[in-house]
Amino acid sequence: MRREQDELHRGIGMTSQRTRERLIQRLYEEGLSNARVLEAIRRTPRHLFVDEALAHRAYEDTALPIGHNQTISQPYMVARMSELLLAAGPLDKVLEIGTGSGYQTAILAQLVERIFSVERIQGLQDRAKERMTTLNLRNVVFRWGDGWEGWPALAPYNGIIVTAAASEVPQALLDQLAPGGRLVIPVGAGDVQQLLLIVREEQGFARHVLDSVRFVPLLNGPLA
Ligand code: SAH
């Protein structure tokens, strides 16, 4: 049993530590340099976040299907968005919209004090919860709901990350950003969107347009 647990976390064959190291090396070569972010990715068994049939592809730098027409984000994008969120210093309270598999959640859970994660598909959320338990990540709280509304009861947040493409920046998320808070969000209605970083300043918001990205859309309303 113990040995099985070990193998589950460490991975074997195509999920081995060596395969994982290659992914980290590649991310580094692509310009991702935040050591804490790379270390969190190195430590996190991504193969536990996809179906067993896809586990052998878990350390490729690609998005993969997770059911319900959704995908686990590409490691590059997870690292990039985490770096942007953390670029001004440590964060104690982060809101995530679009839990999905919980992979981005698990990475952030190792980098910030507390994370609150909203997902509209209950089946995905249930599995993400189980994965946090398996990995002993205890600083995550989940909510089944509509990310367009954020999570007002617990606002404000020092960081907000959205891992689905919004047709426009949801006003509720701007409202729930603390002073100095950072929102990282893909925005656009087509297949390709723009990654935005929005920082709440003393008066108004500074808006930075960054990379061209591809995300599944941020849809309306919770779904059973
Ligand atoms: N970061 C996730 C990627 C999830 S894909 C991962 O690494 O696995 C985007 C997720 O956003 C999907 O799970 C989808 O169900 C969810 N989503 C889409 N619209 C939403 C909304 N309005 N509110 C909450 N979650 C939403």
Side-chain angles (χ1 to χ4, degrees), residues 84-120:
L84 288 169
L85 211 56
L86 292 163
L91 299 175
D92 59 358
K93 212 171 145 197
V94 170
L95 174 68
E96 176 187 50
I97 306 299
T99 315
S101 67
Y103 179 66
Q104 171 82 70
T105 323
I107 299 297
L108 284 175
Q110 299 168 67
L111 299 168
V112 306
E113 287 290 317
R114 284 176 300 164
I115 169 149
F116 302 91
S117 189
V118 179
E119 169 59 53
R120 71 188 278 279

Side-chain angles (χ1 to χ4, degrees), residues 88-180:
L91 299 175
D92 59 358
K93 212 171 145 197
V94 170
L95 174 68
E96 176 187 50
I97 306 299
T99 315
S101 67
Y103 179 66
Q104 171 82 70
T105 323
I107 299 297
L108 284 175
Q110 299 168 67
L111 299 168
V112 306
E113 287 290 317
R114 284 176 300 164
I115 169 149
F116 302 91
S117 189
V118 179
E119 169 59 53
R120 71 188 278 279
I121 300 176
Q122 197 140 45
L124 289 176
Q125 185 187 68
D126 289 345
R127 267 183 290 160
K129 266 187 200 166
E130 287 167 15
R131 291 174 179 127
M132 298 311 128
T133 307
T134 303
L135 296 176
N136 203 21
L137 296 170
R138 299 160 188 257
N139 55 345
V140 185
V141 186
F142 293 94
R143 172 185 159 99
W144 176 54
D146 180 6
W148 281 95
E149 293 165 12
W151 191 338
L154 302 176
Y157 305 94
N158 308 108
I160 302 181
I161 180 172
V162 183
T163 68
S167 50
E168 59 189 88
V169 180
Q171 183 60 43
L173 300 186
L174 294 173
D175 294 343
Q176 290 168 34
L177 215 48

Side-chain angles (χ1 to χ4, degrees), residues 186-211:
V187 175
D191 273 359
V192 178
Q193 309 99 27
Q194 298 300 315
L195 188 63
L196 303 188
L197 166 67
I198 296 172
V199 183
R200 180 164 212 158
E201 299 186 326
E202 251 170 68
Q203 306 205 328
F205 296 87
R207 194 182 155 106
H208 310 269
V209 180
L210 306 167
D211 323 343

